[in-house]
C-alpha cells in the first residue's frame, strides 16, 4: 500500500507577510451589556486597550468606529495574501470594515433571537479558554501560515517519536502542472498513533482514568474501560491479528456497530502497522463487497447482530453475502472474526462457515495483554476510508500516520477548548471520518474521556440524548444538524425534562447548520450558555478546517467563522481567480496542512483529477462558500448542490435555511430539476412541524419566505410535502434519491438499503403529486 505514497517532492514553504497584527475585541451594539471593547491598535502603538465597563462605553464605541473609517481611507479595502482575514480582524476584530446596526448577545445572559447577528463569549468563558481572545488567535494563526514548519514541529514534539523527522518538515506540490501532486509531513519521523493514544497516557499516570464509556441501545446497558484496560484489550487483539498473519501494511476491513470492539479494532490495527478500513455498519452487502474488492483485506471483523432502536440488524448475514460476492470477483476472504452479541442474537441462530468464521470471544481473550509496538514512518498509511464519488465507484481516501495524528489532536484540543475535566460525547459512528478523528484518535490523543453510543438518539424516546448527557455529566456534545433539527421537531419538553447542567460546549458537524436550528441548539439545549463549534471539514481533510474557537471571537449563527491554524482558505470564481472581500464562489485551500489525505488508494490519477486539477495550484473542496462583509465564512453546500436558475447560482443550503426559518417548517432538502424555461428549477422537500397540516396557503407562505430572504430568483418552483426525508442511519440526507424523485426517474432510485427507514421513499413517491 505504501507504493501509492511518493518519496520525492519539492520543498514547500510559507510565504512571508508583513501585515501588522495589532488586534482588539469585536465591537457590539453600544447599548448591550458586557462587551469588551478595544481601542484601535494602530492608534495606541500596537497595544490593545480593553474597556471592562458596559453601557458607559458609548463614546469609546463611537471613537472606535471613527478610527475604522479613518483606517479604511488609509488602507486598500482588500488584501491579496493568505492573511486576508487577519488583516480584516486587525481593522475591525469581527471582520472587514465598519459594522453598523449590530445586534449581539452575551453567552449566559440572553437568548439568541432571529435579529441577533453575533453571540459573544462571556468574559468568564474567555478568561478560561485555551485561546482567550482574537489577539491570541491572530498571533498563533499568523505564525502557523508564515512558519508552518516551526509551528507544527513545536506541536508535534509534544507526542512520542521513536526517531525525529528530518528536513524539510514538510514538502508539497498542489499544482499538477508542475508534476505529481504530493504532500508529506514529518517524513522520516518514526512513531505509532496507538502508542500515543494509550501507552503514553498510561505511562503519564493516567491509566486509571476512564477512556471509554459505552452506552448500549437499551437504557441500563452500559460499561466502561480505563486507559489501562483499553490498552490490554487492544494488545490482545493485536497479538491475535499478528498470529493469523496480519503484517504491517496489510488491509483489515472492520464492519462493526458502535460497540467497544470497534475503536479497539482500529487501535489494534494501528498498533501493528496494519491499515484499517472501517465500513459503516449500515452499508449493504454490495457496498461492503465493493470495498473488500478494492483493498483486498487479510481479515474482516464483524458482529453477528446489533439492535438499533427496536430493530435487529443481522450484520453477519450482510457480511456473508458481501464475502460471497467478493469471492466471485477473485477476492476471497480467508478469516472472518465475529463478535457474538449474545443479548441480540445467540450463536446457534448465527449463520456460520467452518474454516473461515471465528468467534471473537473464543480466541482474542486468550492472547497476552501486552504487545510489541510496530514503529512506522510518519508517511506510512494509517487507514482507508471510502467516500462516495460522482462516478459511482467509492473513493478510498488514504490518510497517513504522523501528520494526521498531530492535526486531529490539535484540532480537537482547540476547537472544543478541551480541558482534562471534560466528558466528551460525539454521536457519530466510527464508520465515518468524524468517528475516526473525533470519537477515537483526536480525543484519546488528548487523554479524554469519551462516551460512545450504540443506539438510536430517539429510542426509547426523543429525550435519550439528554438522559445520556445527564448520566455521564457530558460537558462537550458534538452532533449533526440533522439530529438537531429532528430533536427540535419533537419538541422542547424532551430536552427541558433533563438537567444538562454539565454542558459547556456544543458542536455541529456534517453539513451547514441553518441559523434557526443553530439558535434552538444554543437557546434550548445549551440554555444560551454554551458556544457552538460549528465545524467545517471533510473526509479528505482529516480534521477541522474552518471552525470557531469558543472563547476567541463572537459567533454568527450558521457560520463556520474563521480558518483553523495553518489553513489558508480562498474563494475563487469559475476561472480560478481569487475573489477578495465580501463574495461567493468556490472554496479552495492554498498550501497543505498536516492532516490532508495523501492519495486515493490505487488511483492517484483520480486524486489529482478530482481535487487538484479543477483549480490549478489549489486543493478544491467541492464546496461553495460565501465570505460576508465581516470576514466570516459561510458554507453554501456542495457545488453539485448548487442550482443554476436563469444564470443565478443558488446554493441549496441557502434555500433550505430560508425555508426552515419559517415557524411551521422543521426540515427541508432542496435539489435541482430540469426546467424548460430556467434551465434548472428549485424543488424543495419540506417536513412540517408535528401537527401542522399541509395547505396551499402554507405552500405560498414558504415560497414567500424564500423570496423575502434571498430573492424572487430563489423561490422554489415545487414544494413537495415530506413526512420524512431519506437518511442514512448516521443522519445524512440521501440527495441522490431526492433528485431522482424530483425528475420523475422513479425506476432509477438505486440502492436504498443504507437508509434508516426505506419506507420514507415510498411515502415521498405517493405524495409526489400533492
Amino acid at each position: 500500500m505504501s507504493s501509492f505514497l511518493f518519496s520525492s517532492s519539492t520543498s514547500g514553504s510559507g510565504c512571508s507577510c508583513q501585515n501588522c497584527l495589532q488586534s482588539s475585541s469585536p465591537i457590539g451594539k453600544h447599548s448591550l451589556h458586557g462587551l469588551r471593547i478595544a481601542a484601535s491598535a494602530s492608534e495606541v502603538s500596537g497595544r490593545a486597550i480593553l474597556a471592562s465597563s458596559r453601557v458607559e462605553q458609548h463614546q469609546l464605541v463611537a471613537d472606535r468606529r471613527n478610527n475604522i473609517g479613518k483606517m479604511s481611507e488609509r488602507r486598500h479595502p482588500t488584501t491579496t495574501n493568505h492573511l486576508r482575514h487577519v488583516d480584516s480582524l486587525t481593522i475591525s476584530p469581527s471582520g472587514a470594515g465598519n459594522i453598523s446596526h449590530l445586534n449581539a448577545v452575551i453567552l449566559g445572559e440572553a437568548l439568541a433571537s432571529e435579529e441577533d447577528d453575533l453571540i459573544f463569549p462571556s468574559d468568564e468563558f474567555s478568561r478560561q479558554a485555551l485561546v482567550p481572545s482574537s489577539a491570541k488567535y491572530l498571533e498563533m494563526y499568523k505564525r502557523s501560515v508564515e512558519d508552518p514548519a516551526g509551528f507544527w514541529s513545536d506541536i508535534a514534539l509534544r507526542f512520542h517519536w521513536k526517531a525525529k523527522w528530518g528536513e524539510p518538515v514538510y514538502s508539497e506540490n498542489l499544482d499538477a502542472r508542475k508534476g505529481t501532486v504530493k504532500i508529506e509531513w514529518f517524513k522520516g519521523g518514526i512513531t505509532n498513533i496507538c502508542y500515543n493514544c494509550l501507552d503514553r497516557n498510561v505511562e503519564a499516570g493516567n491509566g486509571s482514568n476512564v477512556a471509554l464509556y459505552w452506552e448500549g441501545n437499551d437504557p441500563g446497558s452500559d460499561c466502561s474501560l480505563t486507559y489501562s484496560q483499553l490498552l490490554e484489550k487492544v494488545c490482545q487483539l493485536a497479538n491475535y491479528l499478528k498470529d493469523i498473519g496480519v503484517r504491517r501494511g496489510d488491509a483489515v476491513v472492520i464492519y462493526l456497530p458502535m460497540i467497544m470492539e470497534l475503536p479497539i479494532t482500529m487501535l489494534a490495527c494501528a498498533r501493528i502497522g496494519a491499515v484499517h478500513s472501517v465500513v459503516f455498519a449500515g452499508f449493504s452487502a454490495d457496498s461492503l463487497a465493493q470495498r473488500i474488492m478494492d483493498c483486498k483485506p487479510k481479515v474482516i471483523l464483524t458482529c453477528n447482530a446489533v439492535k438499533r432502536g427496536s430493530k435487529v440488524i443481522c450484520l453477519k448475514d450482510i457480511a456473508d453475502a458481501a464475502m460471497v460476492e467478493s469471492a466471485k470477483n477473485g477476492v476471497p476472504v480467508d478469516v472472518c472474526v465475529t463478535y457474538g452479541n449474545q443479548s441480540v442474537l445467540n450463536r446457534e441462530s448465527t449463520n456460520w462457515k467452518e474454516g473461515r468464521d471465528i468467534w471473537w470471544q473464543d480466541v482474542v481473550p486468550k492472547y497476552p495483554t501486552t504487545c510489541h509496538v510496530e514503529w512506522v514512518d510518519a508517511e506510512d498509511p494509517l487507514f482507508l476510508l471510502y467516500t462516495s464519488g460522482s462516478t459511482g465507484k467509492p473513493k478510498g481516501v488514504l490518510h497517513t500516520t504522523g501528520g494526521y495524528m498531530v492535526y486531529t489532536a490539535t484540532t480537537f484540543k482547540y476547537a472544543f477548548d478541551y480541558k482534562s475535566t471534560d466528558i466528551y460525547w460525539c454521536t457519530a459512528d466510527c464508520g465515518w471520518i468524524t468517528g475516526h478523528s473525533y470519537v477515537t484518535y483526536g480525543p484519546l490523543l488528548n487523554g479524554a474521556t469519551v462516551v460512545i453510543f450504540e443506539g438510536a438518539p430517539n429510542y426509547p424516546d426523543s429525550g435519550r440524548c439528554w438522559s445520556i448527557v445527564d448520566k455521564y455529566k457530558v460537558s462537550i456534545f458534538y452532533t449533526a444538524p440533522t439530529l438537531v433539527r429532528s430533536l427540535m421537531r419533537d419538541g422542547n419538553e424532551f430536552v427541558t425534562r433533563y438537567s444538562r447542567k454539565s454542558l459547556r460546549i456544543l458542536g455541529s458537524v456534517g453539513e451547514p447548520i441553518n441559523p434557526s436550528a443553530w439558535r434552538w441548539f444554543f437557546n434550548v439545549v445549551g440554555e444560551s450558555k454554551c458556544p457552538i463549534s460549528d465545524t467545517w471539514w471533510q473526509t479528505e481533510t482529516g480534521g477541522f478546517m474552518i471552525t470557531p474557537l469558543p472563547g476567541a471571537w463572537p459567533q454568527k449563527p450558521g457560520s463556520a467563522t474563521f480558518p483553523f491554524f495553518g489553513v489558508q482558505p480562498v474563494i475563487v470564481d469559475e476561472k480560478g481567480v481569487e475573489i477578495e472581500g465580501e463574495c461567493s464562489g468556490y472554496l479552495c485551500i492554498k498550501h497543505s496542512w498536516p492532516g490532508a489525505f495523501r492519495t486515493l488508494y490505487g488511483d492517484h490519477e483520480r486524486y489529482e483529477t478530482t481535487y487538484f486539477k479543477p483549480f490549478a495550484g489549489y486543493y478544491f473542496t467541492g464546496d461553495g462558500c460565501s465570505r460576508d462583509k465581516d470576514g466570516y465564512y459561510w458554507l453554501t453546500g456542495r457545488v453539485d448542490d448548487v442550482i443554476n436558475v436563469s444564470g443565478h447560482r443558488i446554493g441549496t443550503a441557502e434555500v433550505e435555511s430560508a425555508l426552515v426559518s419559517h415557524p411551521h417548517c422543521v426540515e427541508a432538502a432542496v435539489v435541482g430539476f430540469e426546467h424548460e424555461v430556467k434551465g434548472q428549477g428549485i424543488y424543495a422537500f419540506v417536513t412540517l412541524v408535528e401537527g401542522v397540516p399541509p395547505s396551499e396557503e402554507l405552500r405560498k407562505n414558504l415560497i414567500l419566505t424564500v423570496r423575502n430572504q434571498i430573492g424572487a430568483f430563489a423561490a422554489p418552483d415545487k414544494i413537495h410535502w415530506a413526512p420524512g426525508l431519506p437518511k442514512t442511519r448516521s443522519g445524512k440526507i440521501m440527495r441522490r434519491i431526492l433528485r431522482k424523485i424530483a425528475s420523475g426517474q422513479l425506476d432509477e432510485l438505486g440502492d436504498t438499503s443504507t437508509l434508516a427507514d426505506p419506507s420514507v421513499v415510498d411515502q415521498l413517491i405517493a405524495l409526489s403529486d400533492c
Side-chain angles (χ1 to χ4, degrees):
M1 296 184 63
S2 58
S3 63
F4 295 102
L5 304 176
F6 300 91
S7 58
S8 61
S9 126
T10 55
S11 174
S13 60
C15 63
S16 178
C17 173
Q18 299 303 315
N19 287 335
C20 61
L21 201 64
Q22 298 98 342
S23 62
S24 52
S25 299
I27 299 176
K29 190 174 181 180
H30 62 256
S31 63
L32 295 171
H33 298 282
L35 303 188
R36 293 176 295 124
I37 303 168
S40 169
S42 64
E43 302 297 324
V44 290
S45 304
R47 292 186 301 118
I49 301 176
L50 298 182
S52 60
S53 58
R54 298 173 180 253
V55 180
E56 298 81 11
Q57 302 304 323
H58 294 195
Q59 187 59 50
L60 185 52
V61 172
D63 291 345
R64 171 65 174 140
R65 285 177 173 161
N66 288 335
N67 287 336
I68 292 171
K70 292 175 183 177
M71 293 175 71
S72 297
E73 294 172 6
R74 294 197 299 267
R75 304 176 66 103
H76 193 278
T78 61
T79 63
T80 56
N81 58 62
H82 58 272
L83 287 171
R84 62 173 53 77
H85 78 282
V86 172
D87 194 48
S88 298
L89 284 171
T90 303
I91 299 172
S92 175
S94 59
N98 195 357
I99 303 174
S100 58
H101 308 296
L102 191 67
N103 296 315
V105 296
I106 309 295
L107 278 177
E109 295 188 6
L111 300 179
S113 74
E114 295 294 328
E115 289 72 39
D116 290 321
D117 302 296
L118 297 174
I119 289 82
F120 283 76
S122 65
D123 286 343
E124 180 183 4
F125 190 99
S126 289
R127 278 196 302 268
Q128 299 176 22
L130 296 175
V131 182
S133 65
S134 59
K136 182 62 177 177
Y137 164 75
L138 292 173
E139 173 191 332
M140 295 176 71
Y141 182 83
K142 185 178 182 184
R143 187 189 175 209
S144 75
V145 295
E146 293 190 342
D147 178 24
F151 179 86
W152 290 110
S153 289
D154 286 351
I155 292 175
L157 287 171
R158 301 172 190 171
F159 299 93
H160 181 85
W161 299 81
K162 198 72 171 176
K164 190 181 176 184
W165 53 91
E167 294 292 339
V169 174
Y170 73 101
S171 60
E172 63 182 24
N173 174 39
L174 274 58
D175 193 337
R177 298 170 302 182
K178 297 179 180 179
T180 301
V181 173
K182 51 197 161 190
I183 297 168
E184 293 177 336
W185 281 82
F186 311 116
K187 188 171 178 62
I190 307 300
T191 189
N192 183 284
I193 196 170
C194 175
Y195 184 93
N196 278 284
C197 284
L198 302 180
D199 305 63
R200 187 170 60 98
N201 283 307
V202 172
E203 291 166 6
N206 299 321
S208 61
N209 292 356
V210 173
L212 300 176
Y213 283 117
W214 177 76
E215 176 76 7
N217 178 75
D218 297 316
S221 176
D222 55 41
C223 63
S224 65
L225 290 173
T226 65
Y227 272 89
S228 292
Q229 292 169 335
L230 179 57
L231 175 58
E232 290 178 354
K233 289 187 175 293
V234 166
C235 287
Q236 286 181 316
L237 180 58
N239 283 321
Y240 169 73
L241 292 175
K242 288 200 299 183
D243 199 31
I244 62 172
V246 177
R247 298 290 179 261
R248 175 176 175 175
D250 288 341
V252 173
V253 165
I254 306 170
Y255 188 62
L256 285 166
M258 284 296 285
I259 56 179
M260 288 282 205
E261 285 65 28
L262 178 45
I264 286 171
T265 305
M266 295 166 66
L267 290 161
C269 290
R271 190 170 192 85
I272 63 174
V275 182
H276 62 70
S277 178
V278 182
V279 180
F280 173 56
F283 273 120
S284 66
D286 286 345
S287 297
L288 176 57
Q290 279 186 313
R291 288 150 176 79
I292 293 170
M293 289 184 287
D294 193 65
C295 70
K296 301 174 178 59
K298 281 286 187 72
V299 58
I300 290 178
L301 295 98
T302 189
C303 177
N304 62 341
V306 65
K307 189 179 178 187
R308 188 170 176 86
S310 58
K311 183 179 181 181
V312 173
I313 303 165
C314 295
L315 292 181
K316 178 62 163 52
D317 290 349
I318 299 171
D320 286 345
M323 287 185 281
V324 168
E325 182 65 24
S326 66
K328 287 179 182 177
N329 287 274
V331 185
V333 176
D334 295 329
V335 181
C336 177
V337 180
T338 303
Y339 183 83
N341 199 348
Q342 290 293 108
S343 64
V344 180
L345 185 70
N346 58 39
R347 290 192 177 195
E348 293 72 28
S349 301
T350 302
N351 291 322
W352 207 249
K353 182 178 179 179
E354 293 297 336
R356 182 197 67 185
D357 296 345
I358 304 291
W359 285 111
W360 177 304
Q361 288 94 329
D362 286 352
V363 294
V364 175
K366 297 177 180 178
Y367 280 81
T369 56
T370 60
C371 177
H372 170 74
V373 173
E374 183 71 30
W375 299 103
V376 300
D377 188 276
E379 282 301 319
D380 278 355
L382 174 62
F383 66 84
L384 284 172
L385 188 56
Y386 287 87
T387 186
S388 60
S390 58
T391 64
K393 180 185 177 183
K395 298 174 291 188
V397 170
L398 189 146
H399 280 283
T400 53
T401 302
Y404 175 84
M405 175 179 76
V406 172
Y407 196 71
T408 52
T410 307
T411 49
F412 173 84
K413 175 181 177 180
Y414 288 109
F416 294 125
D417 190 46
Y418 172 72
K419 309 291 186 0
S420 61
T421 52
D422 282 317
I423 305 296
Y424 168 78
W425 179 23
C426 172
T427 64
D429 191 288
C430 288
W432 310 110
I433 187 62
T434 304
H436 284 60
S437 298
Y438 301 113
V439 172
T440 306
Y441 292 117
L444 297 180
L445 286 165
N446 282 278
T449 296
V450 182
V451 175
I452 58 175
F453 177 42
E454 176 191 35
N458 58 354
Y459 178 79
D461 62 38
S462 295
R464 184 68 186 279
C465 282
W466 320 121
S467 71
I468 293 172
V469 165
D470 283 359
K471 178 177 179 177
Y472 297 105
K473 304 294 185 253
V474 171
S475 55
I476 303 172
F477 178 70
Y478 188 40
T479 194
T482 189
L483 176 59
V484 173
R485 291 190 292 265
S486 174
L487 297 175
M488 177 181 172
R489 179 188 186 187
D490 292 338
N492 294 359
E493 63 273 15
F494 286 106
V495 182
T496 55
R497 70 174 61 160
Y498 297 96
S499 166
R500 297 160 286 111
K501 295 299 183 185
S502 58
L503 288 174
R504 189 175 71 85
I505 301 280
L506 301 175
S508 172
V509 59
E511 59 181 302
I513 183 170
N514 54 290
S516 295
W518 194 102
R519 290 186 176 94
W520 182 85
F521 200 25
F522 177 81
N523 290 330
V524 178
V525 176
E527 295 185 338
S528 77
K529 65 183 178 65
C530 301
I532 299 175
S533 288
D534 180 11
T535 61
W536 174 80
W537 60 300
Q538 302 173 314
T539 301
E540 294 87 347
T541 71
F544 305 147
M545 299 292 280
I546 304 176
T547 180
L549 301 185
W553 55 69
Q555 296 178 296
K556 290 190 177 186
S559 170
T561 71
F562 298 118
F564 192 72
F565 305 126
V567 177
Q568 301 179 40
V570 295
I571 297 175
V572 303
D573 63 17
E574 292 185 354
K575 296 181 179 178
V577 177
E578 292 184 28
I579 314 172
E580 302 289 349
E582 185 177 1
C583 63
S584 294
Y586 300 93
L587 179 62
C588 294
I589 308 296
K590 272 185 175 179
H591 300 294
S592 66
W593 60 100
F597 71 134
R598 303 309 199 241
T599 191
L600 293 177
Y601 179 62
D603 199 346
H604 197 75
E605 182 180 355
R606 188 182 183 192
Y607 169 75
E608 294 186 350
T609 300
T610 303
Y611 300 100
F612 297 96
K613 288 185 178 178
F615 300 105
Y618 302 99
Y619 165 72
F620 175 45
T621 66
D623 282 335
C625 184
S626 294
R627 186 171 51 235
D628 68 18
K629 62 184 176 59
D630 302 325
Y632 283 65
Y633 288 85
W634 301 76
L635 277 299
T636 56
R638 299 293 297 171
V639 171
D640 56 12
D641 288 333
V642 173
I643 305 170
N644 195 324
V645 180
S646 301
H648 296 286
R649 295 182 60 80
I650 303 168
T652 56
E654 189 176 13
V655 181
E656 290 165 0
S657 182
L659 288 166
V660 175
S661 71
H662 191 286
H664 291 159
C665 175
V666 71
E667 190 163 35
V670 170
V671 297
F673 71 105
E674 187 174 350
H675 193 286
E676 61 180 1
V677 176
K678 301 177 181 179
Q680 276 190 301
I682 297 175
Y683 196 112
F685 294 84
V686 171
T687 302
L688 299 176
V689 171
E690 194 73 38
V692 174
S695 67
E696 187 59 28
E697 181 181 0
L698 181 53
R699 188 194 308 271
K700 291 177 180 177
N701 285 338
L702 287 166
I703 293 172
L704 184 61
T705 298
V706 178
R707 290 173 65 98
N708 290 339
Q709 290 196 21
I710 304 174
F713 63 91
D717 298 277
K718 170 75 174 177
I719 299 285
H720 186 135
W721 305 120
L725 294 172
K727 299 175 184 176
T728 64
R729 291 204 339 243
S730 66
K732 183 177 181 179
I733 297 172
M734 295 287 281
R735 297 176 190 274
R736 165 181 60 80
I737 294 173
L738 296 180
R739 290 191 192 96
K740 296 297 184 182
I741 294 174
S743 62
Q745 298 171 298
L746 303 182
D747 58 342
E748 300 176 22
L749 295 177
D751 182 16
T752 61
S753 64
T754 61
L755 296 179
D757 182 8
S759 68
V760 166
V761 177
D762 294 329
Q763 295 176 42
L764 291 176
I765 292 172
L767 292 168
S768 59
D769 295 324
C770 296

